[in-house]
Amino acid sequence: MTLNPIFESCARRRMRLFRTPLIIGVYCAVLCVCALSLLTAFMGQGVTVGRMRDGVECYIWMTALQFFLILLVAPALSAGSIAGERERRTFDLLLVTGVGARRMIMGKLLENFAFLALLIVCGAPVMALTLLTGGVTPGQIAVTLLVLMAIAFSTLCVGMAVSVVMKRSLSAVIVSYLAVFSIGALSWGLSKHGPFAAAYTLQSLHALSQKSTAEILVGMPVPIFFNPAVGLVMLLASQTGILHRTMETTMRLYHIYSASKAAGFAAVSAVCLLTMLASAALLLALAVLLLRVQTDGFGRRRRAKR
């Protein structure tokens, strides 16, 4: 079995750059500062019930920090994958190699994903500091890291689809950021208002306990499942059980929290994850189709010259 040549070439080039270990070092340093600042009280006073809660809150904050760092890094990585080749005038050289649109897209995507996965894995030892408090298990940390990788993959697919359409790296990066944050804002807004919002009342929320998980999930607003932040929050709620006040006062989607609690936080998180990955697969297929249409003209011109 041979590696994708685009993946192998891009991975070698990235790992030889000085900025790669620099980015990894800065990423881990930011996580270390966050962890040490939140665990300082625990280190000074030892294990108590209050300190265990501080450790769980530290785990939540570090997960949220990694989530936002991924959203900041991923669009910039993938948006320049194809647009950058066009801008550097090396896109035709890739076409001459005959790798095809699908292998080109997958090679670029997997190389970017491998780098983000490396960042997340490098942050695992810092996340493991929360094990000192006893409020988090290794299995929960592993599941959270896998979900963060799935979010990174989905975000990269958005940037890859934009990169196929745009011709300039800067334009592709800007549009990718707008697309990613628009998905979050629109899914959030449509879940609170409009035709997709669930018409929950206090009485109907109390009656949710008598319904099955499938019935509750069907009744929830569909756009909420496209929001990766909600999926991650539901995962943390299922693991820690201390996000009640946050959901009620900060997120202002308390009716979604109540419905998710009745259905099971893990079930809602799983549906969000599957919806996100399915949407990413569709975007990836669309990117391959668009690039194939664009490269067909190059192939015809090349055969005509022969």
Side-chain angles (χ1 to χ4, degrees):
M1 181 179 179
T2 59
L3 286 176
N4 185 302
I6 302 296
F7 169 76
E8 185 176 5
S9 174
C10 293
R12 288 178 183 272
R13 185 168 62 248
R14 183 185 295 277
M15 297 309 295
R16 289 171 179 170
L17 295 175
F18 173 75
R19 66 182 181 184
T20 298
L22 179 63
I23 293 174
I24 295 175
V26 171
Y27 183 87
C28 293
V30 171
L31 290 180
C32 283
V33 170
C34 177
L36 293 177
S37 62
L38 293 172
L39 292 176
T40 300
F42 161 75
M43 293 176 180
Q45 301 179 18
V47 179
T48 63
V49 175
R51 299 282 75 81
M52 290 178 66
R53 182 182 176 90
D54 291 341
V56 175
E57 291 179 351
C58 175
Y59 167 70
I60 293 173
W61 279 110
M62 284 198 294
T63 302
L65 178 61
Q66 289 198 80
F67 172 73
F68 286 112
L69 288 175
I70 288 171
L71 291 185
L72 289 176
V73 174
L77 282 178
S78 58
S81 297
I82 304 299
E85 297 291 346
R86 290 196 181 100
E87 193 173 16
R88 293 188 298 268
R89 301 182 184 276
T90 55
F91 184 66
D92 289 346
L93 295 177
L94 286 179
L95 297 180
V96 171
T97 61
V99 293
R102 182 180 61 83
R103 297 183 72 189
M104 190 185 304
I105 292 289
M106 292 304 299
K108 293 282 189 179
L109 177 67
L110 291 178
E111 188 271 330
N112 290 324
F113 175 70
F115 178 67
L116 282 182
L118 177 62
L119 282 180
I120 295 172
V121 170
C122 288
V126 184
M127 294 279 288
L129 289 175
T130 56
L131 297 175
L132 297 173
T133 65
V136 184
T137 65
Q140 291 175 336
I141 293 177
V143 171
T144 301
L145 294 178
L146 289 176
V147 171
L148 288 173
M149 289 184 186
I151 293 173
F153 179 81
S154 302
T155 308
L156 288 172
C157 288
V158 175
M160 188 63 66
V162 173
S163 183
V164 172
V165 178
M166 308 301 294
K167 296 183 179 180
R168 298 288 182 181
S169 297
L170 181 59
S171 301
V173 170
I174 293 174
V175 174
S176 295
Y177 278 118
L178 290 176
V180 169
F181 289 106
S182 294
I183 291 172
L186 285 175
S187 60
W188 188 283
L190 291 175
S191 299
K192 295 176 64 177
H193 309 287
F196 298 101
Y200 288 121
T201 62
L202 185 61
Q203 184 177 2
S204 62
L205 287 175
H206 287 307
L208 288 177
S209 59
Q210 302 175 358
K211 295 184 178 180
S212 64
T213 299
E215 290 175 335
I216 298 174
L217 291 175
V218 170
M220 293 179 67
V222 175
I224 204 67
F225 296 120
F226 290 89
N227 194 311
V230 172
L232 186 62
V233 167
M234 295 305 174
L235 174 67
L236 294 175
S238 68
Q239 293 178 344
T240 64
I242 65 172
L243 290 175
H244 177 88
R245 183 63 59 185
T246 302
M247 293 291 293
E248 183 178 11
T249 60
T250 305
M251 297 189 68
R252 303 191 185 283
L253 283 175
Y254 185 65
H255 58 290
I256 300 298
Y257 175 85
S258 299
S260 300
K261 184 177 181 180
F265 293 120
V268 177
S269 179
V271 173
C272 287
L273 181 63
L274 292 175
T275 304
M276 183 174 56
L277 291 176
S279 302
L282 289 175
L283 282 176
L284 190 60
L286 178 61
V288 172
L289 179 62
L290 290 175
L291 189 61
R292 184 167 294 173
V293 170
Q294 294 172 5
T295 55
D296 281 347
F298 176 85
R300 287 193 296 268
R301 291 194 303 269
R302 187 182 175 190
R303 288 191 295 270
K305 291 180 180 179
R306 291 180 179 177

